[in-house]
Amino acid sequence: MSSAREDILGRVRAALADVEPDREPVVAPRLAVRPAEEVVDLFAERVEDYRAIVERCTPEQLAGRVAAAVPPGASVVVPAGLSVDVAGAAVDDGTLTSADLDALDVVVTDARVGVAETGTIVLDHTAGMGRRALTLVPDRHVCIVRTEQVVADVPDALVLLDPARPLTWISGPSATSDIELDRVEGVHGPRTLHVILVG
Amino acid sequence: MSGTFVGMPAFPEAARAALGDTQLRHNLAHATGVIRAKRSRLVTEVEESMPESGGWEALRLAGAGVKDRALRDLETQLVLLEERLTAAGATVHWARDAAEANAIVVAVAQRHQATEVVKVKSMVTQEIGLNEALEAEGIDAWETDLAEIIVQLGDDLPSHILVPAIHRNRAEIREIFLREMGKVGKPAPEGLTDEPAVLAGAAREHLREKFLRAKVAVSGANFAIAETGTLVVVESEGNGRMCLTLPEVLVSVVGIEKVVPTWAELDPLLRLLPRSSTGERMNPYTSTWSGVTPGDGPQEVHVVLLDNGRTRALADDVGRQALRCIRCSACLNVCPVYERTGGHAYGSVYPGPIGAILNPLLKGTGDPQTDSLPYASSLCGACFEACPVRIDIPEVLVHLRSKVVDGHRDDTVPKAEAVAFKGAAYALGDSRRLAWAERASGLAGRVMTRFGRTSLPGGRAAAGRVPGPGVGKWTSARDLPAPPAESFRAWWKRTDGGRR
């Protein structure tokens, strides 16, 4: 009695007996190059297209903008190593349970990469971004993206990202079109995505 | 508990029933039309933003190239994937068929004394009937995608790859939620309206409790990257992130055709899939993970690599390309047949043009229901145009039709089609016999032109339903043009090739 593994690999081998593998990785075609300033503008525009809140500010204005992005009286959680101080925020030390996170209103994080063409933010859950559950359970995600983190398109992001890390690619608030194809923003993930673009 | 496709009738019979459902036809025409328009806008946008490098077609070629590279080197890629997953802390299992895969998932759930699992929307777990297998062991499998909940609570069947509950309207969904939610968890709120936003809110409340307490989650994967041992799940609602992040244990069932060789080659696929599927530049959430990350997410991760007919498809040199499919559903949205019959008529979780080839390839020919699928097409070719990984579905359909016919070569009672072609070969094999047949058909043509009730666009008379074995079936769905009163050869003789 051979194992399932041996059987399956044997069937694959038999199926491909007359096939030559292609050892050369495929490189996909690229977008026409845009000037850097245009790339950042496009990122802001494309994130807004998903009905996320997008605002731009200078590094000096950042702390004030973050404070203003938190609704009055809301409870806030931040990951360890966040690039800005948030008054009154609880710092997640990894001991908060899912139920604890569920009781919090707002989470503020940094980001790893912004993708202009698709309006996507990528988190790699290192310092400043926290574990994956942190940006998922609270209902409002305030995300700080630096203009120098914004790249043109998906292949540029893949080069910068480490696949050994868990990654979360975020393009707007969660959404569904499952009922009569009528788009509803905000299902299980944060219902509000608030992006602060700094630089 | 959802229904199953077991015992579905062959396509023509199931399609006839579906065509009588006006709600279904209305919903499908609307949904497919909307998604088609969104997709088409984005394809144009891509064309305009990369004029120098070949536009959308070049991207399709790259997507097809990546999947082909993995499939043509599948043994090496699978062994590498297993090695990298294991190194990243995942446990890799292999399953020859549905029963083996189900047993693996059940065993993991039982080892953790789980009485329930939460599920990410996954075609492959529907293909193997995982929910039913878990329920047979007393384990509740909760679907968490909004459309999947609607299907599950309504004891229904999915009708579209992307939007499985598209055949339901908001009033029906409200009824299902009010009637069923309370039986399996948090009931729908009093005063629930049929606004999609309100219904989605009810699903959010209902599921939140399940997400927060679930110990075991089950997912599929859109892509599995061999080089890095990374799985990728592409979604919209965040239910995927909930399942992939909150429970302690995660089991992912992955078809062996999901392999992508390298991390960099994810690029064309991530650019093609959302645009082709939902008509968005990018879907709201994509999660990638490689095994276990200490302190973040499930600390016990299993991956079940599944064959279940995929090696059978791989062995078919024409049909092999169907394994490139990234389950985007673009072919459904452009198909004139699917748009009218909906998904249920295909009798499988894989409906539409891709289902018409994938089901026979995975299961082999010989079953009347499966054998009817390659004929569920007018071979118009719209699916090939829309497919982001350039699967030539019409080519595979024709190839599979020949396989179905070959399967009946030695029947004691020949099929009508075989009799008709035997007759045609007899008539065409000899000029005198052909001349006789032409005279007979010319007579029929004169009669039809005079008394025929149907005419084709352009005014040419046509035969309505012609009686007779085989012909009756064929003409019940097609108008046969009336044969010309005079054959070409008779005309040539009479006019000396037009000179008289």
Side-chain angles (χ1 to χ4, degrees):
Chain A
M1 167 93 189
S2 57
S3 73
R5 180 183 189 276
E6 296 317 310
D7 269 4
I8 294 169
L9 291 175
R11 289 181 204 164
V12 168
R13 203 173 312 130
L16 298 171
D18 55 349
V19 173
E20 270 306 306
D22 178 2
R23 302 276 181 217
E24 210 40 55
V26 174
V27 180
R30 303 294 304 265
L31 291 174
V33 178
R34 298 176 202 267
E37 188 48 40
E38 228 176 89
V39 170
V40 174
D41 289 348
L42 182 68
F43 173 75
E45 185 187 309
R46 294 274 160 99
V47 175
E48 213 154 10
D49 262 358
Y50 296 122
R51 300 189 207 170
I53 302 165
V54 181
E55 55 174 313
R56 301 180 68 163
C57 68
T58 62
E60 296 71 45
Q61 296 168 317
L62 177 62
R65 293 295 182 95
V66 170
V70 176
S75 50
V76 190
V77 65
V78 296
L82 186 70
S83 62
V84 61
D85 278 332
V86 183
V91 178
D92 174 41
D93 56 1
T95 59
L96 295 172
T97 63
S98 301
D100 295 339
L101 291 173
D102 196 34
L104 292 160
D105 301 315
V106 185
V107 58
V108 183
T109 69
D110 293 311
R112 171 62 54 221
V113 175
V115 184
E117 186 68 22
T118 59
T120 304
I121 294 159
V122 190
L123 311 179
D124 68 4
H125 304 284
T126 50
M129 286 167 266
R131 55 195 168 121
R132 283 172 287 174
L134 191 67
T135 41
L136 173 63
V137 185
D139 204 18
R140 179 179 290 259
H141 179 194
V142 178
C143 189
I144 302 161
V145 181
R146 318 242 158 209
T147 50
E148 62 269 25
Q149 293 180 314
V150 178
V151 297
D153 200 5
V154 171
D156 311 292
L158 286 169
V159 170
L160 296 174
L161 294 163
D162 174 6
R165 298 286 322 157
L167 302 173
T168 306
W169 301 57
I170 299 171
S171 308
S174 61
T176 184
S177 299
D178 280 344
I179 300 174
E180 293 184 14
L181 225 67
D182 205 325
R183 190 177 161 96
V184 176
E185 271 91 22
V187 193
H188 303 295
R191 283 184 277 196
T192 310
L193 174 66
H194 187 144
V195 178
I196 301 176
L197 187 54
V198 193
Chain B
M1 153 125 202
S2 310
T4 66
F5 282 106
V6 174
M8 281 285 280
F11 182 84
E13 204 177 321
R16 218 183 327 275
L19 290 173
D21 184 342
T22 46
Q23 180 72 51
L24 172 84
R25 292 186 62 171
H26 172 270
N27 288 8
L28 279 171
H30 169 69
T32 53
V34 169
I35 303 175
R36 273 203 304 271
K38 285 169 77 178
R39 173 189 169 274
S40 149
R41 268 201 303 279
L42 287 181
V43 169
T44 309
E45 184 180 280
V46 169
E47 291 291 342
E48 288 164 357
S49 58
M50 33 196 272
E52 300 300 307
S53 45
W56 182 251
E57 184 61 17
L59 201 55
R60 286 175 81 208
L61 283 163
V66 168
K67 291 293 291 189
D68 259 353
R69 211 168 83 76
L71 291 169
R72 295 171 70 87
D73 193 21
L74 194 55
E75 189 186 358
T76 313
Q77 299 295 343
L78 286 171
V79 171
L80 182 63
L81 175 69
E82 177 187 43
E83 180 196 312
R84 296 293 149 90
L85 278 167
T86 308
T91 308
V92 178
H93 311 258
W94 299 73
R96 278 171 280 229
D97 55 28
E100 279 188 356
N102 290 334
I104 293 162
V105 181
V106 165
V108 171
Q110 285 174 335
R111 206 167 44 246
H112 291 275
Q113 289 95 45
T115 54
E116 60 176 6
V117 304
V118 285
K119 288 187 69 211
V120 187
K121 179 172 181 289
S122 137
M123 308 290 305
V124 74
T125 57
Q126 286 177 21
E127 176 195 329
I128 62 177
L130 177 64
N131 294 10
E132 292 73 24
L134 285 162
E135 272 153 23
E137 298 295 330
I139 301 161
D140 291 316
W142 305 121
E143 292 294 349
T144 62
D145 170 84
L146 182 53
E148 298 279 1
I149 300 167
I150 296 166
V151 169
Q152 185 174 40
L153 290 177
D155 195 10
D156 197 353
L157 292 166
S159 62
H160 189 287
I161 289 176
L162 174 74
V163 275
I166 199 61
H167 55 289
R168 295 288 199 183
N169 59 26
R170 59 185 69 192
E172 290 176 295
I173 295 165
R174 176 178 171 269
E175 289 300 314
I176 292 169
F177 280 10
L178 284 171
R179 195 179 61 231
E180 301 293 334
M181 270 185 176
K183 296 180 191 170
V184 293
K186 192 171 178 165
E190 296 287 320
L192 182 75
T193 69
D194 63 6
E195 277 302 302
V198 173
L199 293 168
R204 175 189 171 95
E205 288 304 309
H206 176 82
L207 280 175
R208 191 77 23 162
E209 138 188 280
K210 291 191 163 102
F211 287 137
L212 295 180
R213 73 171 184 227
K215 296 277 180 287
V216 179
V218 175
S219 83
N222 292 87
F223 308 106
I225 296 148
E227 174 194 46
T228 57
T230 307
L231 298 190
V232 181
V233 164
V234 171
E235 52 133 356
S236 294
E237 296 174 12
N239 60 307
R241 289 178 68 192
M242 290 274 175
C243 294
L244 300 172
T245 306
L246 299 183
E248 296 155 25
V249 182
L250 172 63
V251 190
S252 304
V253 182
V254 183
I256 54 173
E257 85 287 10
K258 294 287 181 190
V259 179
V260 171
T262 64
W263 175 245
E265 284 170 297
L266 194 56
D267 163 39
L269 300 168
L270 277 186
R271 284 196 272 161
L272 288 161
L273 176 55
R275 288 180 173 99
S276 303
S277 179
T278 54
E280 294 167 302
R281 294 188 188 101
M282 191 59 87
N283 50 290
Y285 296 133
T286 297
S287 298
T288 79
W289 73 101
S290 307
V292 174
T293 306
D296 187 347
Q299 296 302 292
E300 185 180 324
V301 170
H302 297 265
V303 179
V304 182
L305 297 175
L306 175 76
D307 180 349
N308 207 35
R310 283 153 181 78
T311 49
R312 182 203 302 270
L314 192 68
D316 183 322
D317 54 1
V318 179
R320 183 180 294 153
Q321 56 185 312
L323 296 175
R324 296 205 293 253
C325 174
I326 53 175
R327 311 284 190 264
C328 74
S329 71
C331 62
L332 277 59
N333 299 329
V334 297
C335 178
V337 177
Y338 174 85
E339 188 180 314
R340 284 155 185 81
T341 63
H344 294 166
Y346 293 83
S348 156
V349 295
Y350 304 115
I354 188 65
I357 62 173
L358 202 55
N359 292 304
L361 285 165
L362 294 176
K363 297 173 189 170
T365 50
D367 172 79
Q369 195 277 327
T370 312
D371 282 2
S372 72
L373 293 176
Y375 296 88
S377 164
S378 64
L379 301 179
C380 77
C383 46
F384 179 33
E385 291 291 307
C387 178
V389 288
R390 300 187 88 263
I391 301 167
D392 190 345
I393 296 176
E395 178 195 29
V396 182
L397 283 166
V398 172
H399 165 73
L400 288 169
R401 288 180 186 187
S402 74
K403 287 200 128 174
V404 171
V405 172
D406 286 345
H408 292 284
R409 286 273 177 243
D410 307 323
D411 287 7
T412 36
V413 181
K415 285 212 174 310
E417 182 193 45
V419 173
F421 275 98
K422 266 213 170 65
Y426 175 77
L428 291 167
D430 179 293
S431 70
R432 276 166 314 174
R433 290 201 288 258
L434 182 61
W436 179 85
E438 283 171 345
R439 276 199 299 279
S441 81
L443 182 66
R446 282 194 288 278
V447 172
M448 254 182 249
T449 311
R450 187 149 322 160
F451 303 108
R453 302 246 176 116
T454 15
S455 63
L456 297 168
R460 183 171 176 184
R465 195 167 172 156
V466 178
V471 190
K473 222 178 205 168
W474 196 86
T475 53
S476 72
R478 297 170 183 82
D479 286 325
L480 181 68
E486 186 176 44
S487 72
F488 176 79
R489 294 195 307 169
W491 170 84
W492 185 276
K493 224 163 153 172
R494 185 169 59 77
T495 63
D496 190 20
R499 281 188 282 275
R500 278 209 293 273

